[in-house]
Amino acid sequence: MDNLRIEVACSLMIMNIVVSGILASPGPGKSNFQNVPAKVVWAVPGKDVELPCDVTPPLPTDSVNMIFWFKDTSGMPIYSLDARLNETSHLAVSNDLGTRSYFVMDQDPSRARLKIQEVAAEDEGVFRCRVDFINSPTRNFRVNLTLVVQPSVPRIFDAEGKEILTEAGPFLEGQELFLSCQVTGGKPAPSLIWWYNGTILDSVVDTGRDYFTTVNQMLITKVPRSLKGGKLECRATSYEMAGDIIREVPVIVYLKPNKVKIVSPNELLSCSKAQTVRCETSGSYPPAKIIWTLQAKPMRNAVLTEEETELFSSSIISMRLEAEDDGKELVCRADNPRFPKGYLEDKRRIHVAYPPKVAVRLDLGATSPVKEGSIVVLRCDCKARPSPHTFSWYQDGHLVPYNETAGLLPADDTLTIKSIRRRSEGEYSCSATNSEGETYSAPFNLIVQYAPRCKIGYEVNKIASVTYENMIVQCHVEAIPEVIRFHWTYNTSKGVLPMQGAKMQNTGDVSTLHFTPGTNDIESLSCWATNSVGRQETPCLFHIIPADKPESPRNCLMRNASHGGGLEVSCLAGKDGGLQQSFVLEVEDLTLPLDPSVVATLSDQGDHSTPVYRVLGETPVFRLHSLEANREYQFVVYAVNAKGRSSPPVVLPNIRLEVPTDPKQENGPDLILAPVNFPRQSTDY
């Protein structure tokens, strides 16, 4: 205890000496620290504050000697620290400020500070920190301790400048919201922030009406649904440590419906009894009113049953429908009467039962006109209530079965024909069946376009040529649409060459070629045709063979003509020699004397008789009349073309009739042929 008293006494003695020295310091030193700018430090009344003082020595080898704190213009320090003793000595004046002050030495000397507890109004002023070093000049720091003054309680105003005392609004969902928050006073200048649910909405302070008023005008361009039933806060403060002055304002927000639905199943409606349909809506505030319309007209003679809560409404309509209501649009409209254009609609088409109405058409994805080889999809357009449960397809009145091999694939309302061919064209129809009956469509005429091809029977031909004589060759094709052009080629030992210099006449699907072969080197001709679908794949081929005399007819027979009477001779034609041939039957009367001036027709056969008449024909079938009875005849048959006549001819000798043939008889008499032997007939007979 005695040692402690001695230490305190020594400290007071030293303090008195130091203070005396400070008070006795010259005037110039005083003017120096008064020129040091003061750093402003804000303090909240009743809370602690720290005043900074940098005690870092100017030189690394130097150290602090003494630290003094002064307030305002007083020359008496309110706090001092002596670092010359082995242990640092703190000394404060005994007044209220001194007892609440304490100097804190930090490990970083630049962060040394004087801590004042529970700042009071009288603490406000300019503080000076004087630092004396052992070897370096004294350093002074000035700190302006300023007390924070909170602003007034915020006031809220709407867009028209009217102060809001209770609730703000009503505002409309999706539209603008404007509120202004104002305070007066405050030091330093206060911040004014709009908050909602812990989130800052607007922190920008707008210009006030005067320097004493602070304003924050908040604009929400689209009011969200979540703001309904919420509270906005305007928070004002001049200093964060001083806390916020908060003004809450409840917000009224009108909402438009966000959901409306006709919840009854969309079933087939019968006009024979009343039908009920239910519609529900939610999300509207105040609750929406439900309005029913049919084809944009208010429902009449309908009974409504309604239910309503804060955010939910429902309506049940009971109505009687008529047949002409089929396909009309039924609308359930949820309308918020407090919200201009704040409505939402749900629509559906109502249906009344009736038999199908069907028509066949090409599917939209199919090409038109239809070309051979393409995929064709026929669609059975159907309008029916209820929907058909069965479809059938017909071609030219015959039911079309499922035939994958043939490429016929009927499937409900479609008929797919894969790689369509000419045989697939015709009249197609469909039928559809529902509970109301079965209906057939009108025929749909499907025409298939195809590239030219040789007409049946004209694919491969043989023609006989005569060197340096004009030839006429006809090429027969068939095509839809008509042929645009023909061209010919010929094949020789040197290859296939285009036909040039020949006359060609094209009429429809027939091309006629006139040309004169000058050499026997031509082996064949090819005819090609082209239309809008494409070029003929396989040409019509004409093999050229040397022309020759025709072969003699064979297997000749005689019989009574079945109609018209007379005698009929029929043979089988032989080869034509490559040229067009005709047939001749000569009738010779062997009982007549030989006319020396007439050369025998069959002199090469040793015959000396003269023909009574000749019968000509394109085919070896002959009808004979006006033959006399009891005379001996001989028939000679042969073929003729441009190269000559067939050899040897067919000879039917010793023909004798018991009864003459009368050309006027419709049914000729039975003819007696005697004798019936043909010793002179050629070996081909």
Side-chain angles (χ1 to χ4, degrees):
M1 179 65 74
D2 294 336
N3 292 334
L4 179 60
R5 291 176 179 174
I6 295 173
E7 183 177 343
V8 173
C10 292
S11 297
L12 292 174
M13 185 182 299
I14 295 172
M15 187 65 167
N16 290 331
I17 295 172
V18 171
V19 171
S20 299
I22 293 172
L23 295 175
S25 59
K30 182 178 180 180
S31 61
N32 289 338
F33 69 73
Q34 287 179 344
N35 294 330
V36 176
K39 179 179 180 179
V40 177
V41 174
W42 293 95
V44 179
K47 296 185 179 294
D48 297 347
V49 69
E50 294 180 345
L51 307 181
C53 180
D54 187 357
V55 297
T56 305
L59 298 175
T61 58
D62 204 353
S63 60
V64 175
N65 190 4
M66 296 288 292
I67 299 174
F68 301 95
W69 278 94
F70 300 90
K71 183 177 183 297
D72 297 329
T73 58
S74 173
M76 178 65 68
I78 62 170
Y79 193 94
S80 64
L81 184 146
D82 189 351
R84 294 175 300 176
L85 302 177
N86 292 333
E87 295 183 3
T88 303
S89 176
H90 296 260
L91 184 61
V93 295
S94 58
N95 62 8
D96 178 63
L97 177 60
T99 58
R100 291 184 285 109
S101 302
Y102 185 79
F103 192 78
V104 180
M105 290 291 290
D106 198 274
Q107 292 182 352
D108 181 1
S110 64
R111 300 181 61 184
R113 58 215 180 260
L114 179 66
K115 184 174 183 180
I116 303 175
Q117 298 176 334
E118 298 180 0
V119 175
E122 57 271 17
D123 296 339
E124 187 175 40
V126 177
F127 289 76
R128 177 167 62 90
C129 174
R130 170 176 168 171
V131 184
D132 293 342
F133 301 97
I134 295 176
N135 297 319
S136 301
T138 297
R139 182 185 298 162
N140 288 277
F141 298 95
R142 300 176 70 220
V143 180
N144 187 353
L145 178 61
T146 307
L147 296 184
V148 173
V149 178
Q150 287 284 65
S152 65
V153 175
R155 300 172 67 192
I156 309 298
F157 298 87
D158 61 19
E160 297 177 353
K162 181 180 178 181
E163 185 174 3
I164 297 173
L165 302 178
T166 54
E167 296 175 322
F171 302 102
L172 301 181
E173 171 196 357
Q175 299 187 20
E176 289 186 352
L177 179 152
F178 175 87
L179 291 175
S180 176
C181 181
Q182 299 181 12
V183 295
T184 56
K187 187 177 72 170
S191 65
L192 208 53
I193 303 176
W194 283 99
W195 291 75
Y196 178 70
N197 282 349
T199 302
I200 294 178
L201 298 180
D202 189 348
S203 61
V204 179
V205 174
D206 303 296
T207 304
R209 292 175 294 179
D210 51 59
Y211 71 93
F212 198 61
T213 303
T214 304
V215 180
N216 185 338
Q217 296 177 337
M218 178 181 64
L219 176 64
I220 300 176
T221 56
K222 292 185 178 181
V223 175
R225 296 182 64 88
S226 59
L227 200 58
K228 188 262 177 187
K231 295 181 179 180
L232 295 173
E233 295 180 352
C234 180
R235 300 181 183 181
T237 184
S238 291
Y239 196 68
E240 184 177 359
M241 292 182 62
D244 293 329
I245 303 175
I246 301 175
R247 168 68 191 280
E248 283 186 348
V249 55
V251 180
I252 299 175
V253 177
Y254 287 163
L255 306 177
K256 54 187 175 182
N258 62 357
K259 181 181 179 182
V260 61
K261 185 172 181 61
I262 301 175
V263 296
S264 299
N266 193 6
E267 298 174 338
L268 190 64
L269 301 178
S270 173
C271 59
S272 62
K273 61 180 181 179
Q275 303 293 325
T276 58
V277 181
R278 179 184 177 91
C279 181
E280 296 178 353
T281 180
S282 60
S284 175
Y285 180 79
K289 301 296 182 181
I290 293 180
I291 302 172
W292 293 90
T293 59
L294 184 63
Q295 204 66 14
K297 295 180 179 179
M299 298 289 295
R300 301 186 183 277
N301 301 323
V303 179
L304 297 179
T305 304
E306 297 181 341
E307 178 185 353
E308 183 178 296
T309 62
E310 183 180 2
L311 294 175
F312 175 85
S313 299
S314 69
S315 175
I316 299 176
I317 185 171
S318 178
M319 55 187 174
R320 285 191 173 274
L321 300 173
E322 299 178 356
E324 54 268 22
D325 293 328
D326 177 61
K328 289 185 178 180
E329 187 177 66
L330 179 66
V331 177
C332 172
R333 174 170 173 163
D335 191 5
N336 185 341
R338 303 286 186 89
F339 198 126
K341 297 182 180 180
Y343 65 87
L344 199 61
E345 294 180 343
D346 188 25
K347 306 174 183 179
R348 71 165 48 165
R349 295 283 178 181
I350 60 174
H351 310 297
V352 180
Y354 59 88
K357 299 178 181 180
V358 291
V360 177
R361 65 170 175 84
L362 275 174
D363 189 75
L364 295 177
T367 59
S368 182
V370 175
K371 296 183 179 180
E372 188 176 35
S374 63
I375 297 177
V376 174
V377 179
L378 296 178
R379 185 169 296 279
C380 186
D381 280 344
C382 179
K383 185 179 180 182
R385 297 290 181 267
S387 298
H389 54 76
T390 303
F391 287 88
S392 298
W393 286 92
Y394 302 88
Q395 180 186 8
D396 296 330
H398 300 287
L399 181 67
V400 177
Y402 185 93
N403 189 337
E404 187 171 1
T405 303
L408 295 173
L409 308 175
D412 291 335
D413 62 341
T414 60
L415 172 62
T416 302
I417 307 175
K418 292 187 175 180
S419 188
I420 191 168
R421 298 299 173 191
R422 185 183 177 189
R423 64 177 178 272
S424 300
E425 67 182 7
E427 291 186 343
Y428 286 83
S429 60
C430 68
S431 69
T433 306
N434 69 355
S435 59
E436 305 301 312
E438 183 178 15
T439 306
Y440 291 83
S441 71
F444 177 84
N445 190 20
L446 180 63
I447 299 176
V448 179
Q449 294 189 349
Y450 55 94
R453 65 188 66 176
C454 298
K455 197 171 183 178
I456 296 176
Y458 292 87
E459 298 90 344
V460 179
N461 309 271
K462 290 183 179 181
I463 57 174
S465 67
V466 180
T467 305
Y468 301 114
E469 289 190 10
N470 184 53
M471 293 182 62
I472 299 176
V473 183
Q474 283 192 335
C475 175
H476 295 262
V477 299
E478 52 190 8
I480 296 178
E482 63 182 10
V483 174
I484 297 175
R485 63 179 181 273
F486 286 90
H487 75 276
W488 291 75
T489 61
Y490 65 94
N491 186 22
T492 68
S493 58
K494 297 180 181 179
V496 178
L497 302 172
M499 182 66 71
Q500 296 179 347
K503 181 180 179 182
M504 183 170 57
Q505 294 177 336
N506 301 328
T507 304
D509 294 337
V510 179
S511 177
T512 304
L513 179 69
H514 300 261
F515 84 106
T516 303
T519 174
N520 291 327
D521 193 30
I522 298 179
E523 298 175 356
S524 63
L525 298 174
S526 296
C527 169
W528 305 82
T530 303
N531 66 359
S532 60
V533 177
R535 184 174 181 263
Q536 185 173 344
E537 292 185 1
T538 303
C540 302
L541 190 61
F542 300 85
H543 293 288
I544 297 179
I545 59 176
D548 199 359
K549 295 178 182 180
E551 292 182 349
S552 296
R554 62 185 183 275
N555 298 345
C556 293
L557 298 174
M558 290 186 299
R559 60 177 175 269
N560 292 330
S562 58
H563 298 286
L567 184 67
E568 181 180 274
V569 177
S570 62
C571 307
L572 296 179
K575 296 181 180 179
D576 60 6
L579 300 175
Q580 184 176 359
Q581 65 178 347
S582 60
F583 300 91
V584 180
L585 183 146
E586 293 183 350
V587 178
E588 300 176 359
D589 188 350
L590 299 180
T591 60
L592 294 176
L594 178 63
D595 186 354
S597 63
V598 179
V599 178
T601 303
L602 301 176
S603 58
D604 56 342
Q605 301 295 324
D607 197 332
H608 60 277
S609 58
T610 302
V612 177
Y613 63 85
R614 291 185 178 90
V615 180
L616 306 179
E618 296 297 323
T619 61
V621 179
F622 310 96
R623 301 285 297 271
L624 303 177
H625 298 276
S626 303
L627 297 178
E628 298 179 10
N630 299 317
R631 299 186 70 85
E632 187 176 352
Y633 294 100
Q634 177 175 273
F635 299 158
V636 178
V637 182
Y638 55 89
V640 179
N641 68 7
K643 291 288 287 186
R645 74 183 200 178
S646 61
S647 178
V650 177
V651 178
L652 305 177
N654 305 322
I655 306 299
R656 183 182 295 274
L657 303 179
E658 297 294 335
V659 180
T661 60
D662 186 355
K664 297 182 181 180
Q665 285 183 319
E666 293 183 0
N667 295 314
D670 293 335
L671 301 179
I672 301 175
L673 306 180
V676 185
N677 55 17
F678 307 105
R680 296 181 56 195
Q681 190 168 355
S682 71
T683 56
D684 289 341
Y685 179 75

